[in-house]
Amino acid sequence: MLSQARIESILPIGDLGRQVVYLDTVGSTNDLAKSLGEGSYGNGTLVVADEQTQGRGRGERGWLTPAGTALALSVLLRPGLGAGANALALNGLGAIAAVDAVEAFGGNARIKWPNDVLLAGRKAAGVLAEVSWAEDQVEYAVIGIGVNVQRGSAPPDDQVLFPATSLEEALGKPVDRLELLRAIVAQLDRWQGALGKPGLVEAWQERLAYLGEQILLEQQGEAVQGELVGLAGDGRLRLRLAGGQEIVTGQDFVHLRPVDSRLE
Ligand code: BTN
């Protein structure tokens, strides 16, 4: 079980989790963290909920967090974040942290660029980073991470664009949500210093799914196919088209999938 006291007992790690807001149920932990960002809550404030009723994913999609089965957390980050604190890089940071946390549980996780965490070719976790700018300065940023932990938390194939799984299904063993939360916060703390530095993009690229493979990037009816070559220095995706020409695409391409989409 998650609770305010149990979460506080394992934190903070560095600055992360100095303040903790736990709720049994909330609309969206990202929305709550953003409203705390508008107020006086400090750098590293952690919002966790057992259930989300209006969880949000990228591209206006929803995110399911059924009670008792999943992990939904959002971290509030304050300035001092540095030049690399744009939403794309923060999505990368969240995805790297989630992958490394899952690996500590024995899973070989990969990142479906920019920020989906795959286990055995299926999506087990997602990241939603949001930045509030005041002119050209970051006022605050929120990194939200949702993990399907128990089997009941992964939506069925006919309800999602990309097939989902849960950690327990993919790993074949029980996963304690508090331990997973601790591992994710520890990895966020470990990697946040790499924001704005080449090491973040290198780590992101090393963890990518489909490197060297043919993928399709789709955006509102428009699709581009090419070989996933790697990442540009700012975390955008490099794609080699059939004629050999290389293009760099931003995260406005909302849906990525392998051309050969057989599951592992
Ligand atoms: C995606 O796959 O598109 C991103 C999903 C992100 C879900 C997490 S759950 C915690 C946080 N609160 C939200 O409303 N969304 C993120």
PDB file of all heavy atoms in Angstrom, residues 27-31 52 54-59 61-63 65 71-74 115-116 123 125-128 143-147, ligand 1:
ATOM      1  N   GLY A  27      -7.294  13.927  -9.870  1.00  0.00           N
ATOM      2  CA  GLY A  27      -7.538  13.996 -11.305  1.00  0.00           C
ATOM      3  C   GLY A  27      -6.265  13.583 -12.033  1.00  0.00           C
ATOM      4  O   GLY A  27      -6.190  12.528 -12.666  1.00  0.00           O
ATOM      5  N   SER A  28      -5.241  14.427 -11.918  1.00  0.00           N
ATOM      6  CA  SER A  28      -3.950  14.158 -12.561  1.00  0.00           C
ATOM      7  C   SER A  28      -2.847  14.668 -11.640  1.00  0.00           C
ATOM      8  O   SER A  28      -2.903  15.824 -11.189  1.00  0.00           O
ATOM      9  CB  SER A  28      -3.892  14.882 -13.911  1.00  0.00           C
ATOM     10  OG  SER A  28      -2.566  15.209 -14.258  1.00  0.00           O
ATOM     11  N   THR A  29      -1.853  13.829 -11.366  1.00  0.00           N
ATOM     12  CA  THR A  29      -0.738  14.290 -10.510  1.00  0.00           C
ATOM     13  C   THR A  29       0.021  15.425 -11.192  1.00  0.00           C
ATOM     14  O   THR A  29       0.547  16.313 -10.528  1.00  0.00           O
ATOM     15  CB  THR A  29       0.233  13.140 -10.175  1.00  0.00           C
ATOM     16  OG1 THR A  29       0.701  12.556 -11.402  1.00  0.00           O
ATOM     17  CG2 THR A  29      -0.412  12.089  -9.306  1.00  0.00           C
ATOM     18  N   ASN A  30       0.075  15.426 -12.530  1.00  0.00           N
ATOM     19  CA  ASN A  30       0.747  16.545 -13.209  1.00  0.00           C
ATOM     20  C   ASN A  30      -0.019  17.850 -12.979  1.00  0.00           C
ATOM     21  O   ASN A  30       0.585  18.894 -12.717  1.00  0.00           O
ATOM     22  CB  ASN A  30       0.850  16.286 -14.727  1.00  0.00           C
ATOM     23  CG  ASN A  30       2.210  15.742 -15.122  1.00  0.00           C
ATOM     24  OD1 ASN A  30       2.787  14.958 -14.382  1.00  0.00           O
ATOM     25  ND2 ASN A  30       2.711  16.129 -16.280  1.00  0.00           N
ATOM     26  N   ASP A  31      -1.345  17.782 -13.082  1.00  0.00           N
ATOM     27  CA  ASP A  31      -2.131  19.002 -12.873  1.00  0.00           C
ATOM     28  C   ASP A  31      -1.938  19.525 -11.453  1.00  0.00           C
ATOM     29  O   ASP A  31      -1.782  20.732 -11.236  1.00  0.00           O
ATOM     30  CB  ASP A  31      -3.618  18.740 -13.143  1.00  0.00           C
ATOM     31  CG  ASP A  31      -3.906  18.548 -14.620  1.00  0.00           C
ATOM     32  OD1 ASP A  31      -3.021  18.887 -15.455  1.00  0.00           O
ATOM     33  OD2 ASP A  31      -4.992  18.051 -14.961  1.00  0.00           O
ATOM     34  N   GLN A  52      -5.656   7.859 -10.517  1.00  0.00           N
ATOM     35  CA  GLN A  52      -5.933   9.095 -11.245  1.00  0.00           C
ATOM     36  C   GLN A  52      -7.259   8.921 -12.001  1.00  0.00           C
ATOM     37  O   GLN A  52      -7.481   7.896 -12.650  1.00  0.00           O
ATOM     38  CB  GLN A  52      -4.834   9.399 -12.263  1.00  0.00           C
ATOM     39  CG  GLN A  52      -3.495   9.781 -11.655  1.00  0.00           C
ATOM     40  CD  GLN A  52      -2.509  10.243 -12.709  1.00  0.00           C
ATOM     41  OE1 GLN A  52      -2.043  11.374 -12.688  1.00  0.00           O
ATOM     42  NE2 GLN A  52      -2.191   9.372 -13.635  1.00  0.00           N
ATOM     43  N   GLN A  54      -8.293  11.500 -14.130  1.00  0.00           N
ATOM     44  CA  GLN A  54      -8.135  12.223 -15.397  1.00  0.00           C
ATOM     45  C   GLN A  54      -6.663  12.306 -15.764  1.00  0.00           C
ATOM     46  O   GLN A  54      -6.160  13.374 -16.128  1.00  0.00           O
ATOM     47  CB  GLN A  54      -8.730  13.627 -15.283  1.00  0.00           C
ATOM     48  CG  GLN A  54     -10.249  13.564 -15.196  1.00  0.00           C
ATOM     49  CD  GLN A  54     -10.868  14.926 -15.068  1.00  0.00           C
ATOM     50  OE1 GLN A  54     -10.406  15.763 -14.297  1.00  0.00           O
ATOM     51  NE2 GLN A  54     -11.911  15.148 -15.827  1.00  0.00           N
ATOM     52  N   GLY A  55      -5.973  11.156 -15.640  1.00  0.00           N
ATOM     53  CA  GLY A  55      -4.557  11.118 -15.987  1.00  0.00           C
ATOM     54  C   GLY A  55      -4.364  11.502 -17.453  1.00  0.00           C
ATOM     55  O   GLY A  55      -5.191  11.156 -18.300  1.00  0.00           O
ATOM     56  N   ARG A  56      -3.295  12.209 -17.717  1.00  0.00           N
ATOM     57  CA  ARG A  56      -3.056  12.709 -19.076  1.00  0.00           C
ATOM     58  C   ARG A  56      -1.786  12.116 -19.662  1.00  0.00           C
ATOM     59  O   ARG A  56      -0.787  11.942 -18.983  1.00  0.00           O
ATOM     60  CB  ARG A  56      -2.932  14.242 -19.067  1.00  0.00           C
ATOM     61  CG  ARG A  56      -4.225  14.942 -18.690  1.00  0.00           C
ATOM     62  CD  ARG A  56      -4.125  16.432 -18.852  1.00  0.00           C
ATOM     63  NE  ARG A  56      -3.215  17.049 -17.893  1.00  0.00           N
ATOM     64  CZ  ARG A  56      -2.031  17.564 -18.202  1.00  0.00           C
ATOM     65  NH1 ARG A  56      -1.584  17.534 -19.451  1.00  0.00           N
ATOM     66  NH2 ARG A  56      -1.289  18.120 -17.272  1.00  0.00           N
ATOM     67  N   GLY A  57      -1.841  11.830 -20.977  1.00  0.00           N
ATOM     68  CA  GLY A  57      -0.665  11.411 -21.716  1.00  0.00           C
ATOM     69  C   GLY A  57      -0.301  12.476 -22.736  1.00  0.00           C
ATOM     70  O   GLY A  57      -0.938  13.534 -22.790  1.00  0.00           O
ATOM     71  N   ARG A  58       0.700  12.183 -23.549  1.00  0.00           N
ATOM     72  CA  ARG A  58       1.098  13.158 -24.574  1.00  0.00           C
ATOM     73  C   ARG A  58       0.026  13.231 -25.645  1.00  0.00           C
ATOM     74  O   ARG A  58      -0.731  12.287 -25.862  1.00  0.00           O
ATOM     75  CB  ARG A  58       2.429  12.740 -25.207  1.00  0.00           C
ATOM     76  CG  ARG A  58       3.615  13.003 -24.299  1.00  0.00           C
ATOM     77  CD  ARG A  58       4.916  12.915 -25.067  1.00  0.00           C
ATOM     78  NE  ARG A  58       4.951  11.775 -25.965  1.00  0.00           N
ATOM     79  CZ  ARG A  58       5.125  11.869 -27.278  1.00  0.00           C
ATOM     80  NH1 ARG A  58       5.282  13.028 -27.861  1.00  0.00           N
ATOM     81  NH2 ARG A  58       5.158  10.778 -28.014  1.00  0.00           N
ATOM     82  N   GLY A  59       0.013  14.364 -26.340  1.00  0.00           N
ATOM     83  CA  GLY A  59      -0.882  14.509 -27.477  1.00  0.00           C
ATOM     84  C   GLY A  59      -2.350  14.412 -27.089  1.00  0.00           C
ATOM     85  O   GLY A  59      -3.123  13.783 -27.801  1.00  0.00           O
ATOM     86  N   ARG A  61      -3.851  12.644 -25.132  1.00  0.00           N
ATOM     87  CA  ARG A  61      -4.400  11.318 -24.832  1.00  0.00           C
ATOM     88  C   ARG A  61      -4.575  11.157 -23.323  1.00  0.00           C
ATOM     89  O   ARG A  61      -3.940  11.840 -22.529  1.00  0.00           O
ATOM     90  CB  ARG A  61      -3.466  10.227 -25.375  1.00  0.00           C
ATOM     91  CG  ARG A  61      -3.458  10.174 -26.906  1.00  0.00           C
ATOM     92  CD  ARG A  61      -2.817   8.891 -27.394  1.00  0.00           C
ATOM     93  NE  ARG A  61      -1.372   8.895 -27.206  1.00  0.00           N
ATOM     94  CZ  ARG A  61      -0.495   9.267 -28.137  1.00  0.00           C
ATOM     95  NH1 ARG A  61      -0.918   9.655 -29.314  1.00  0.00           N
ATOM     96  NH2 ARG A  61       0.797   9.239 -27.901  1.00  0.00           N
ATOM     97  N   GLY A  62      -5.424  10.223 -22.937  1.00  0.00           N
ATOM     98  CA  GLY A  62      -5.625   9.946 -21.511  1.00  0.00           C
ATOM     99  C   GLY A  62      -4.627   8.904 -21.020  1.00  0.00           C
ATOM    100  O   GLY A  62      -3.943   8.267 -21.817  1.00  0.00           O
ATOM    101  N   TRP A  63      -4.527   8.761 -19.720  1.00  0.00           N
ATOM    102  CA  TRP A  63      -3.650   7.755 -19.120  1.00  0.00           C
ATOM    103  C   TRP A  63      -4.382   7.127 -17.945  1.00  0.00           C
ATOM    104  O   TRP A  63      -4.843   7.845 -17.060  1.00  0.00           O
ATOM    105  CB  TRP A  63      -2.339   8.389 -18.650  1.00  0.00           C
ATOM    106  CG  TRP A  63      -1.401   7.391 -18.037  1.00  0.00           C
ATOM    107  CD1 TRP A  63      -1.244   7.115 -16.704  1.00  0.00           C
ATOM    108  CD2 TRP A  63      -0.496   6.528 -18.727  1.00  0.00           C
ATOM    109  NE1 TRP A  63      -0.304   6.136 -16.526  1.00  0.00           N
ATOM    110  CE2 TRP A  63       0.180   5.760 -17.763  1.00  0.00           C
ATOM    111  CE3 TRP A  63      -0.189   6.335 -20.079  1.00  0.00           C
ATOM    112  CZ2 TRP A  63       1.128   4.817 -18.088  1.00  0.00           C
ATOM    113  CZ3 TRP A  63       0.773   5.386 -20.408  1.00  0.00           C
ATOM    114  CH2 TRP A  63       1.425   4.638 -19.421  1.00  0.00           C
ATOM    115  N   THR A  65      -4.872   5.135 -14.533  1.00  0.00           N
ATOM    116  CA  THR A  65      -4.202   4.718 -13.293  1.00  0.00           C
ATOM    117  C   THR A  65      -5.262   4.163 -12.355  1.00  0.00           C
ATOM    118  O   THR A  65      -5.784   4.871 -11.482  1.00  0.00           O
ATOM    119  CB  THR A  65      -3.468   5.909 -12.622  1.00  0.00           C
ATOM    120  OG1 THR A  65      -2.629   6.557 -13.582  1.00  0.00           O
ATOM    121  CG2 THR A  65      -2.614   5.445 -11.451  1.00  0.00           C
ATOM    122  N   LEU A  71       1.527   3.018 -10.661  1.00  0.00           N
ATOM    123  CA  LEU A  71       2.256   4.103  -9.999  1.00  0.00           C
ATOM    124  C   LEU A  71       2.083   5.365 -10.821  1.00  0.00           C
ATOM    125  O   LEU A  71       2.295   5.353 -12.045  1.00  0.00           O
ATOM    126  CB  LEU A  71       3.737   3.725  -9.891  1.00  0.00           C
ATOM    127  CG  LEU A  71       4.627   4.631  -9.048  1.00  0.00           C
ATOM    128  CD1 LEU A  71       4.147   4.671  -7.593  1.00  0.00           C
ATOM    129  CD2 LEU A  71       6.075   4.125  -9.082  1.00  0.00           C
ATOM    130  N   ALA A  72       1.654   6.440 -10.180  1.00  0.00           N
ATOM    131  CA  ALA A  72       1.524   7.745 -10.851  1.00  0.00           C
ATOM    132  C   ALA A  72       2.220   8.771  -9.989  1.00  0.00           C
ATOM    133  O   ALA A  72       1.841   8.976  -8.825  1.00  0.00           O
ATOM    134  CB  ALA A  72       0.049   8.114 -11.029  1.00  0.00           C
ATOM    135  N   LEU A  73       3.251   9.390 -10.546  1.00  0.00           N
ATOM    136  CA  LEU A  73       4.000  10.382  -9.767  1.00  0.00           C
ATOM    137  C   LEU A  73       4.367  11.571 -10.641  1.00  0.00           C
ATOM    138  O   LEU A  73       4.511  11.443 -11.863  1.00  0.00           O
ATOM    139  CB  LEU A  73       5.275   9.762  -9.193  1.00  0.00           C
ATOM    140  CG  LEU A  73       6.331   9.342 -10.200  1.00  0.00           C
ATOM    141  CD1 LEU A  73       7.542  10.251 -10.133  1.00  0.00           C
ATOM    142  CD2 LEU A  73       6.758   7.905  -9.950  1.00  0.00           C
ATOM    143  N   SER A  74       4.495  12.719  -9.991  1.00  0.00           N
ATOM    144  CA  SER A  74       4.968  13.923 -10.688  1.00  0.00           C
ATOM    145  C   SER A  74       5.945  14.640  -9.777  1.00  0.00           C
ATOM    146  O   SER A  74       5.697  14.783  -8.576  1.00  0.00           O
ATOM    147  CB  SER A  74       3.801  14.863 -11.014  1.00  0.00           C
ATOM    148  OG  SER A  74       2.880  14.219 -11.868  1.00  0.00           O
ATOM    149  N   ASN A 115       9.631   9.087 -25.168  1.00  0.00           N
ATOM    150  CA  ASN A 115       9.508   8.897 -23.724  1.00  0.00           C
ATOM    151  C   ASN A 115       8.603   7.750 -23.306  1.00  0.00           C
ATOM    152  O   ASN A 115       8.079   7.773 -22.190  1.00  0.00           O
ATOM    153  CB  ASN A 115       8.990  10.186 -23.096  1.00  0.00           C
ATOM    154  CG  ASN A 115       7.702  10.641 -23.761  1.00  0.00           C
ATOM    155  OD1 ASN A 115       7.273  10.035 -24.736  1.00  0.00           O
ATOM    156  ND2 ASN A 115       7.108  11.673 -23.244  1.00  0.00           N
ATOM    157  N   ASP A 116       8.412   6.765 -24.147  1.00  0.00           N
ATOM    158  CA  ASP A 116       7.646   5.596 -23.714  1.00  0.00           C
ATOM    159  C   ASP A 116       8.623   4.510 -23.282  1.00  0.00           C
ATOM    160  O   ASP A 116       9.645   4.299 -23.934  1.00  0.00           O
ATOM    161  CB  ASP A 116       6.795   5.039 -24.865  1.00  0.00           C
ATOM    162  CG  ASP A 116       5.654   5.965 -25.221  1.00  0.00           C
ATOM    163  OD1 ASP A 116       5.283   6.806 -24.383  1.00  0.00           O
ATOM    164  OD2 ASP A 116       5.138   5.849 -26.344  1.00  0.00           O
ATOM    165  N   LYS A 123       4.380  -1.299 -24.179  1.00  0.00           N
ATOM    166  CA  LYS A 123       4.559  -0.114 -23.341  1.00  0.00           C
ATOM    167  C   LYS A 123       4.177  -0.399 -21.887  1.00  0.00           C
ATOM    168  O   LYS A 123       3.055  -0.805 -21.600  1.00  0.00           O
ATOM    169  CB  LYS A 123       3.700   1.024 -23.897  1.00  0.00           C
ATOM    170  CG  LYS A 123       3.775   2.313 -23.106  1.00  0.00           C
ATOM    171  CD  LYS A 123       3.212   3.466 -23.914  1.00  0.00           C
ATOM    172  CE  LYS A 123       3.010   4.700 -23.060  1.00  0.00           C
ATOM    173  NZ  LYS A 123       2.600   5.863 -23.857  1.00  0.00           N
ATOM    174  N   ALA A 125       5.346   1.970 -19.360  1.00  0.00           N
ATOM    175  CA  ALA A 125       5.347   3.246 -18.629  1.00  0.00           C
ATOM    176  C   ALA A 125       5.403   4.398 -19.623  1.00  0.00           C
ATOM    177  O   ALA A 125       5.853   4.232 -20.760  1.00  0.00           O
ATOM    178  CB  ALA A 125       6.551   3.315 -17.682  1.00  0.00           C
ATOM    179  N   GLY A 126       4.918   5.558 -19.186  1.00  0.00           N
ATOM    180  CA  GLY A 126       4.948   6.754 -20.031  1.00  0.00           C
ATOM    181  C   GLY A 126       5.348   7.965 -19.203  1.00  0.00           C
ATOM    182  O   GLY A 126       5.236   7.959 -17.967  1.00  0.00           O
ATOM    183  N   VAL A 127       5.839   8.975 -19.898  1.00  0.00           N
ATOM    184  CA  VAL A 127       6.335  10.198 -19.247  1.00  0.00           C
ATOM    185  C   VAL A 127       5.657  11.401 -19.881  1.00  0.00           C
ATOM    186  O   VAL A 127       5.497  11.449 -21.105  1.00  0.00           O
ATOM    187  CB  VAL A 127       7.871  10.320 -19.430  1.00  0.00           C
ATOM    188  CG1 VAL A 127       8.400  11.578 -18.752  1.00  0.00           C
ATOM    189  CG2 VAL A 127       8.580   9.089 -18.895  1.00  0.00           C
ATOM    190  N   LEU A 128       5.251  12.338 -19.042  1.00  0.00           N
ATOM    191  CA  LEU A 128       4.686  13.592 -19.555  1.00  0.00           C
ATOM    192  C   LEU A 128       5.361  14.755 -18.829  1.00  0.00           C
ATOM    193  O   LEU A 128       5.102  14.993 -17.649  1.00  0.00           O
ATOM    194  CB  LEU A 128       3.166  13.635 -19.317  1.00  0.00           C
ATOM    195  CG  LEU A 128       2.463  14.899 -19.790  1.00  0.00           C
ATOM    196  CD1 LEU A 128       2.547  15.050 -21.309  1.00  0.00           C
ATOM    197  CD2 LEU A 128       0.997  14.896 -19.345  1.00  0.00           C
ATOM    198  N   ILE A 143       7.773  16.757 -14.194  1.00  0.00           N
ATOM    199  CA  ILE A 143       7.967  15.489 -14.906  1.00  0.00           C
ATOM    200  C   ILE A 143       6.996  14.478 -14.290  1.00  0.00           C
ATOM    201  O   ILE A 143       7.095  14.162 -13.098  1.00  0.00           O
ATOM    202  CB  ILE A 143       9.402  14.950 -14.771  1.00  0.00           C
ATOM    203  CG1 ILE A 143      10.405  15.961 -15.314  1.00  0.00           C
ATOM    204  CG2 ILE A 143       9.545  13.625 -15.529  1.00  0.00           C
ATOM    205  CD1 ILE A 143      11.864  15.493 -15.193  1.00  0.00           C
ATOM    206  N   GLY A 144       6.050  14.014 -15.097  1.00  0.00           N
ATOM    207  CA  GLY A 144       5.083  13.025 -14.622  1.00  0.00           C
ATOM    208  C   GLY A 144       5.410  11.658 -15.202  1.00  0.00           C
ATOM    209  O   GLY A 144       5.722  11.542 -16.395  1.00  0.00           O
ATOM    210  N   ILE A 145       5.380  10.648 -14.358  1.00  0.00           N
ATOM    211  CA  ILE A 145       5.685   9.280 -14.808  1.00  0.00           C
ATOM    212  C   ILE A 145       4.561   8.352 -14.362  1.00  0.00           C
ATOM    213  O   ILE A 145       4.153   8.365 -13.194  1.00  0.00           O
ATOM    214  CB  ILE A 145       7.038   8.792 -14.232  1.00  0.00           C
ATOM    215  CG1 ILE A 145       8.167   9.742 -14.676  1.00  0.00           C
ATOM    216  CG2 ILE A 145       7.333   7.354 -14.677  1.00  0.00           C
ATOM    217  CD1 ILE A 145       9.543   9.386 -14.147  1.00  0.00           C
ATOM    218  N   GLY A 146       4.062   7.585 -15.294  1.00  0.00           N
ATOM    219  CA  GLY A 146       3.038   6.598 -14.977  1.00  0.00           C
ATOM    220  C   GLY A 146       3.545   5.217 -15.339  1.00  0.00           C
ATOM    221  O   GLY A 146       4.047   5.006 -16.445  1.00  0.00           O
ATOM    222  N   VAL A 147       3.438   4.276 -14.416  1.00  0.00           N
ATOM    223  CA  VAL A 147       3.910   2.908 -14.658  1.00  0.00           C
ATOM    224  C   VAL A 147       2.764   1.922 -14.438  1.00  0.00           C
ATOM    225  O   VAL A 147       2.066   1.988 -13.422  1.00  0.00           O
ATOM    226  CB  VAL A 147       5.075   2.533 -13.699  1.00  0.00           C
ATOM    227  CG1 VAL A 147       5.684   1.193 -14.106  1.00  0.00           C
ATOM    228  CG2 VAL A 147       6.149   3.615 -13.663  1.00  0.00           C
TER     229      VAL A 147
HETATM  230  C1  BTN B   1       2.186   9.087 -22.368  1.00  0.00           C
HETATM  231  O1  BTN B   1       2.358   7.880 -22.455  1.00  0.00           O
HETATM  232  O2  BTN B   1       1.707   9.741 -23.295  1.00  0.00           O
HETATM  233  C2  BTN B   1       2.573   9.768 -21.090  1.00  0.00           C
HETATM  234  C3  BTN B   1       1.820   9.234 -19.907  1.00  0.00           C
HETATM  235  C4  BTN B   1       2.166   9.963 -18.629  1.00  0.00           C
HETATM  236  C5  BTN B   1       1.294   9.551 -17.476  1.00  0.00           C
HETATM  237  C6  BTN B   1       1.738  10.148 -16.183  1.00  0.00           C
HETATM  238  S1  BTN B   1       0.934   9.397 -14.799  1.00  0.00           S
HETATM  239  C7  BTN B   1       1.565  10.635 -13.744  1.00  0.00           C
HETATM  240  C8  BTN B   1       1.449  11.940 -14.499  1.00  0.00           C
HETATM  241  N1  BTN B   1       0.117  12.518 -14.344  1.00  0.00           N
HETATM  242  C9  BTN B   1      -0.539  12.581 -15.504  1.00  0.00           C
HETATM  243  O3  BTN B   1      -1.694  13.039 -15.671  1.00  0.00           O
HETATM  244  N2  BTN B   1       0.224  12.082 -16.497  1.00  0.00           N
HETATM  245  C10 BTN B   1       1.518  11.644 -16.003  1.00  0.00           C
END
